[in-house]
Structure formats: C-alpha cells, structure tokens
Amino acid sequence: MWLGADSVWAQEKPDTGQTQPAPAPAATPAPAAKPGGAKQGAATAAVTEQQDLQKAIEQASNDRAALMHNLLDFLKKYPQSSQRPQIYRAIVESSLQLRDFTTATEYAERMVALNPEDLSINQLSVQLLDRYGDAAGWRRAANYCTRMLDIIHREPVKGKSPRQSSAQFEKDKQHDVASILLVRGRLYQKLNEPQNAQRDFEGSYKMAPGSTAAERLGELAEIRKDWPTAIHEYALAFALTDGLQGSASRPEVRKKLGNVWRLAHGSEDGLGDYVLRAIDEAMAAGVDPKPARNKGLKDPMEFLLRKAPDGPAFALAEAKGKVLVLNFWTTWCGPCREWEPHFEKVAGHFLGREKEVVFLEVNCDEDEALVGPYLAEVKPRTTVVFADGLDELLHVNSFPTTLILSRTGKIAYRTEGFDPEGRDQTLIDSIDGAIIH
C-alpha cells in the first residue's frame, strides 16, 4: 500500500495525539576544527552548534515538555540548522504527546516546506489541519491533498515492490487516490464548496466504492432536497458499511435513510425492498468485471469453457452427438454442496459409457479465487469447468441447477434446487431417455 492500511486516509479520522514518543534527534558529531581562516571559523561554528544541540537533548532527559522547549530555543539560535527535519519531527512528536496541537500543526507544515514530495509528511499536515485548523488551514490542507494526488499519479509502476504484482500496485494506487479524494471532499464541505465536494466524493466512489463516500453524497443530495438521490446514496452506504473503522456507521445511515424515505414517501413502506436492491448494486460495484467469454454465441456446443481452477480449455464441441449433463453450482451454495455427491453417484452409474454421455460440473462463482480451495477440499471426480457465459445462455438463475442437453444440444431435462428423495433415480432415468432418443 502507498499510505498503509491503517493510515488516516483509511480511518478518515485524524490523530488525537496518542502517538508513541519518537526518540529525540541525535546530535551528529561535528568535524574537528582545522586551521585555515574562514574554514576554521565554519568548522568551529559547526562544533558549537552540535554541542548546543547535544546539550539541549541531554538537559531535557525524558521530559517531553522540556525537550520541546529546548529544541524551540535551539532553533531560535540556529534557524538554518542542517538538522531541522529531525528537530521539526521531534517537536511534532512532543507537542502531540502534550496535546499542543497548534505547535504540532505549525511544525508539521514546516516539515512539508522542507520536503514537499514526502507523502507521509503531507498526510500528517492534512490530518492536523483537518482537525484543528481554521478555514485558511483547511484550504492549505486541500492543496496538500492535491499535491499528494499528483505525487501518486506520477509514480511509475517500476517503483513497486518486487513482491507486488503490477495489478495490485495499480489497485493500491486507486484505493489511495480514493481515500485522498474523500478527505479533500470533506475539506471542501467545510469550506462550503459543495460542487468541489461532490466532484471529489463521486471520484472517490468511482475509484473504490465505499460507504463513507456514498454517505457524503447522500448528505449533499439531502441538503439540495434531492430526495431520490439522497435515498439512493444512503441505501448504498447502508449496504456497503462493514462496521470497520473508517466506514459509515450503519445505525446512523439507517436513520438518515429512513428520514429521507419518509420525506419522499410519507412512510417507510417499500424501503426494505429498495435496500435489498441497493445491496445487489453495491455487491456488483465491488466485483471486478469478468472478461466476456463466448460472447454472442447461441449454440452451447460452440462454447469453449475453462477447466477449473486453472486447467486448459474444454470445448463443448467434443461432446457433440453425446448427451451432456450439466450441474451448475457455486462455492457459497449449501444445497450445491449437498447435491454434489449425488451428482457424482449418478455420473458413476454411467461409468464406461463416455461415448454416449458427458458429465460436467459448471462453476458460477463471481470470485473465481474461491474455487481452487473448495475443489481441494471436495475433490470431485467429475470434470469441473467455469460457466464462462453458459449459465446466462441457458437461463440459470438459482443453484444448484441440473440440465440435460440432448445429442442435438437442446434442453431435455431441467431441475433446480436439491431434494434427496428420488432425485438420483429421476436423473438417471432422464439421462437414459435422452441417450435412447
């Protein structure tokens, strides 16, 4: 991750001053003075400066307030000290411990001035200004956010860790951009710039759909009295919130959603069905779209399916002229797990008749990463393939669904769900019937 999973961007809450104390800046040994006019004078001054810094640190001992006071006095005497970055950081750390947020904010911004390309320092300044700043401070914080976005966009993929894939690198960048847009959008809200806030919240949601961005968009719509949009955004926020730190509060979002629904409809009638549709929409938004496979094909026997979890392609044309028995299932479906050994038993009944009938277990999971571990546990003997659009062509909408395709590729038998009473024999009889005809 660019900013870290536990960063302020993920939490959307600034530091409250409970930072662990950082060690005081170490006084770097100064070079010994050498004879030689101006050079000798400079070397002597450097020695004196380092001695004064060491004295400031030692006199403070473990007293954080004394350390901050001594370092501030040192900077008055040596305002251009080469150790300013370390000294500024020590002052910020100390002032946070002492809950002196004014000093912490001032020196965090001084750190930004020294290292404007440092993401963590910009982040710290935004964090403090967001919580403790005034309108002018919020404006500067928004500018720091803009700088951070520019830094992230400029970072090439070659800068990633060798242990990180290019795809994951780009995904992490997207999440960081989404988090920064969310913070900047809130700053624009504070600055009473709703159009800029709307733009940032929409950009954040597009990059990484999340409950907080949706809730903020709902708030803006509610202020405009745009009830349909407010309802839609609050419903998405309710569906997406996961209870983790940084996500929207489900009870609070529920209150907001109920309020705007009543304002629009007079009661909460119909709200439950609306929320269920919002949950479906939110789930779809969080799933990476699969590539369209076998797009436009109308004949099942033209389909090319991938063997699961990562095997070669399986052409259904190989089953042409045979009866094809298909079991559509998912890893999350309890009845599918119950039906699987029965389907295996039926397939075993036709062992040795491979020239007449082919059995396939067809996985329909959106997240295909779940399939490998599931198969390693269940160890089916029947060939397992991914649906790759076959489920849509054959209108499979519930699981498990078992289909028999005749020798000509037409549906000869269809059953949905799992009923152990007599299902095995019914399927066997239907397969025999399809083979005969």
Side-chain angles (χ1 to χ4, degrees):
M1 287 289 291
W2 281 65
L3 303 178
D6 58 348
S7 72
V8 63
W9 311 114
Q11 300 173 8
E12 209 203 351
K13 291 183 179 179
D15 195 321
T16 57
Q18 302 305 311
T19 310
Q20 291 297 315
T28 304
K34 296 181 181 180
K39 289 184 179 181
Q40 180 180 358
T44 301
V47 170
T48 302
E49 178 183 331
Q50 295 303 326
Q51 290 174 342
D52 285 352
L53 179 57
Q54 189 65 39
K55 182 178 179 181
I57 296 170
E58 291 175 352
Q59 286 182 342
S61 186
N62 292 322
D63 186 331
R64 186 64 64 175
L67 175 64
M68 186 173 73
H69 180 269
N70 291 353
L71 291 177
L72 290 172
D73 282 347
F74 174 84
L75 288 173
K76 290 178 183 178
K77 186 174 181 180
Y78 303 101
Q80 299 303 315
S81 171
S82 61
Q83 296 205 54
R84 279 177 296 160
Q86 299 93 321
I87 295 172
Y88 287 173
R89 185 173 293 277
I91 291 173
V92 171
E93 296 282 355
S94 297
S95 55
L96 286 174
Q97 286 292 312
L98 297 168
R99 304 188 68 78
D100 179 356
F101 301 117
T102 300
T103 300
T105 303
E106 176 188 346
Y107 279 85
E109 289 198 83
R110 290 192 183 199
M111 290 168 66
V112 171
L114 289 177
N115 299 286
E117 295 290 300
D118 189 312
L119 278 172
S120 64
I121 294 174
N122 279 273
Q123 174 186 340
L124 176 61
S125 294
V126 172
Q127 183 179 1
L128 291 167
L129 288 167
D130 181 21
R131 183 69 176 271
Y132 306 109
D134 53 13
W138 299 335
R139 177 70 63 192
R140 294 197 303 276
N143 291 337
Y144 295 152
C145 286
T146 302
R147 177 188 294 160
M148 293 176 70
L149 291 171
D150 180 61
I151 294 170
I152 291 175
H153 285 311
R154 284 191 277 111
E155 181 68 13
V157 70
K158 65 182 181 182
K160 71 177 183 64
S161 164
R163 293 178 292 180
Q164 187 181 37
S165 69
S166 296
Q168 187 61 47
F169 176 80
E170 292 300 331
K171 188 173 183 179
D172 288 346
K173 283 179 65 172
Q174 284 189 347
H175 276 84
D176 285 336
V177 169
S179 297
I180 295 170
L181 287 173
L182 191 60
V183 174
R184 193 175 69 177
R186 190 180 65 248
L187 289 164
Y188 283 139
Q189 268 189 307
K190 290 183 175 183
L191 290 166
N192 196 27
E193 298 181 13
Q195 290 184 334
N196 286 334
Q198 178 90 18
R199 179 199 64 205
D200 279 355
F201 293 147
E202 288 176 348
S204 177
Y205 189 88
K206 184 178 180 180
M207 281 283 184
S211 60
T212 305
E215 182 184 18
R216 297 288 182 181
L217 288 168
E219 291 171 353
L220 291 175
E222 186 175 0
I223 291 171
R224 299 193 304 269
K225 296 186 178 181
D226 180 355
W227 308 134
T229 300
I231 289 170
H232 179 254
E233 298 297 346
Y234 282 146
L236 287 178
F238 183 83
L240 287 166
T241 188
D242 52 16
L244 299 177
Q245 187 176 16
S247 67
S249 164
R250 177 160 280 165
E252 290 301 317
V253 175
R254 171 64 181 88
K255 292 176 184 177
K256 294 176 182 180
L257 175 57
N259 183 56
V260 293
W261 184 274
R262 290 190 297 273
L263 287 171
H265 301 282
S267 72
E268 290 196 2
D269 292 346
L271 177 56
D273 289 338
Y274 189 94
V275 169
L276 287 176
R277 291 195 296 272
I279 291 173
D280 289 340
E281 179 182 340
M283 290 174 62
V287 175
D288 293 332
K290 293 182 181 178
R293 303 181 188 274
N294 302 300
K295 187 176 181 180
L297 297 182
K298 303 298 182 184
D299 183 354
M301 294 306 166
E302 295 180 0
F303 271 61
L304 190 67
L305 307 180
R306 294 166 297 141
K307 287 187 178 181
D310 51 11
F314 180 89
L316 291 191
E318 295 179 17
K320 205 162 190 177
K322 303 177 184 180
V323 172
L324 185 58
V325 187
L326 305 169
N327 174 34
F328 291 86
W329 63 282
T330 67
T331 58
W332 49 262
C333 166
C336 295
R337 185 182 285 267
E338 295 294 324
W339 170 236
E340 197 277 332
H342 291 265
F343 186 79
E344 291 269 294
K345 181 180 177 182
V346 172
H349 181 83
F350 290 89
L351 195 63
R353 301 177 65 181
E354 289 80 6
K355 292 184 179 180
E356 297 178 295
V357 58
V358 174
F359 289 81
L360 293 177
E361 299 208 44
V362 187
N363 176 263
C364 300
D365 272 286
E366 286 289 341
D367 186 357
E368 294 178 355
L370 301 173
V371 178
Y374 181 91
L375 295 180
E377 175 194 347
V378 176
K379 297 181 174 63
R381 295 185 300 275
T382 309
T383 300
V384 181
V385 295
F386 290 116
D388 287 341
L390 187 63
D391 53 337
E392 296 178 12
L393 178 69
L394 299 177
H395 305 290
V396 175
N397 299 309
S398 59
F399 305 101
T401 291
T402 304
L403 295 176
I404 299 175
L405 299 186
S406 68
R407 296 178 185 274
T408 60
K410 304 300 181 183
I411 296 177
Y413 173 85
R414 182 187 194 106
T415 183
E416 298 175 351
F418 171 60
D419 179 4
E421 296 299 325
R423 176 64 61 83
D424 299 16
Q425 192 58 50
T426 300
L427 183 56
I428 289 172
D429 293 342
S430 299
I431 295 171
D432 279 329
I435 292 173
I436 295 172
H437 295 94

